[in-house]
Amino acid sequence: MNGKLNTVEKTGKTIDEAIELALAELEETRDRIDYEVLEVPSKGLFGFIGSKLARVRVTVRAIDPVVEARQFLVKVFEAMNIAVTMEKITHDDHVVINLHGEDLGVLIGKHGQTLDALQYLTNLAANREATERSRIILDVEDYRKRRAETLSRLAMRLADKVKRRGEKVVLEPMSPQERKIIHMALQNDYRIVTYSEGDEPYRKVVIALKNSSK
């Protein structure tokens, strides 16, 4: 875990004391660990001869990034005072958390900018201490799917316009994910070339005839 210990054995006068010593060394809290009692403390003869200390083995529980993401989002939604249910959809290389509820437009923002920002923060919180990173995609009522379909249709219409007029078209600034949708929508059009220009966060997609110069 980022170079930290994940298992230690400690002794103490009581089991709780041994656990607390282990937590201090691991720099963890009780909700993050599992422990095994290796020896129960005993006072021995006359209260001190042959007495034994408690000995425990404490192991840091593996962190599930998706669980961490959900816990982070719960806190965000509680702070915003909005009711949201979360649906997890697992894919080979990423996990989608689809958010459902009423009036969740505030979580989307203009062209998904708020949703992208929340997704970025969620990934930071989810993978902060995880041993294996997970890529988490946030969606709201399948907004991303609808937005992708809208952008693909827009790309097709603008490509037709470029072919009719012979002039390139410059789209409004988009996120890297949305620019990729435009590029993918037109990648098989042999008459059209797409490329991006400008600097983030104002980078734009350009649609042009393949034989025209940039």
Side-chain angles (χ1 to χ4, degrees):
M1 293 182 60
N2 300 329
K4 292 167 62 177
L5 294 172
N6 60 9
T7 301
V8 298
E9 292 185 10
K10 285 292 179 181
T11 58
K13 293 179 181 179
T14 65
I15 291 172
D16 275 346
E17 180 181 282
I19 292 172
E20 289 299 325
L21 290 171
L23 291 175
E25 182 167 340
L26 291 168
E27 299 179 347
E28 289 291 349
T29 55
R30 285 202 180 222
D31 61 320
R32 295 282 198 185
I33 60 97
D34 294 312
Y35 69 90
E36 177 186 358
V37 178
L38 303 176
E39 285 192 30
V40 177
S42 61
K43 290 186 177 181
L45 186 62
F46 305 125
F48 61 90
I49 298 175
S51 62
K52 292 183 178 180
L53 295 173
R55 187 161 64 94
V56 298
R57 179 183 294 122
V58 175
T59 303
V60 179
R61 206 175 287 135
I63 294 175
D64 184 339
V66 178
V67 172
E68 295 294 307
R70 291 173 70 98
Q71 291 176 348
F72 170 77
L73 290 169
V74 165
K75 292 177 182 178
V76 171
F77 301 146
E78 286 178 348
M80 296 178 69
N81 196 29
I82 56 177
V84 179
T85 58
M86 289 180 264
E87 173 193 11
K88 184 182 79 169
I89 306 166
T90 302
H91 298 269
D92 289 340
D93 61 344
H94 67 279
V95 173
V96 176
I97 298 179
N98 202 7
L99 309 175
H100 301 279
E102 296 184 2
D103 301 322
L104 296 186
V106 66
L107 297 179
I108 298 174
K110 182 180 179 182
H111 299 330
Q113 291 176 352
T114 302
L115 185 59
D116 287 341
L118 182 58
Q119 176 177 291
Y120 174 75
L121 294 174
T122 300
N123 275 275
L124 284 182
N127 292 295
R128 182 175 50 204
E129 296 188 39
T131 52
E132 293 187 14
R133 294 182 62 83
S134 291
R135 187 163 71 95
I136 296 170
I137 305 295
L138 288 191
D139 204 352
V140 175
E141 302 284 6
D142 294 318
Y143 162 81
R144 292 196 187 280
K145 179 181 178 182
R146 299 193 306 274
R147 176 68 173 163
E149 292 171 348
T150 297
L151 289 175
S152 294
R153 289 194 297 269
L154 174 66
M156 296 296 185
R157 289 200 307 271
L158 293 178
D160 287 341
K161 179 180 177 181
V162 169
K163 285 183 277 192
R164 289 196 312 271
R165 299 185 178 182
E167 299 175 351
K168 69 180 182 181
V169 172
V170 181
L171 281 72
E172 64 182 5
M174 293 180 181
S175 67
Q177 294 81 6
E178 294 197 338
R179 295 198 304 271
K180 182 178 179 181
I181 292 170
I182 301 293
H183 294 311
M184 294 292 289
L186 300 176
Q187 65 179 346
N188 294 323
D189 191 324
Y190 71 96
R191 295 182 58 192
I192 291 293
V193 62
T194 62
Y195 55 93
S196 297
E197 63 180 17
D199 300 320
E200 301 289 2
Y202 306 107
R203 199 160 170 78
K204 307 172 183 179
V205 173
V206 179
I207 303 173
L209 288 176
K210 187 162 286 186
N211 293 329
S212 65
S213 63
K214 295 185 181 183

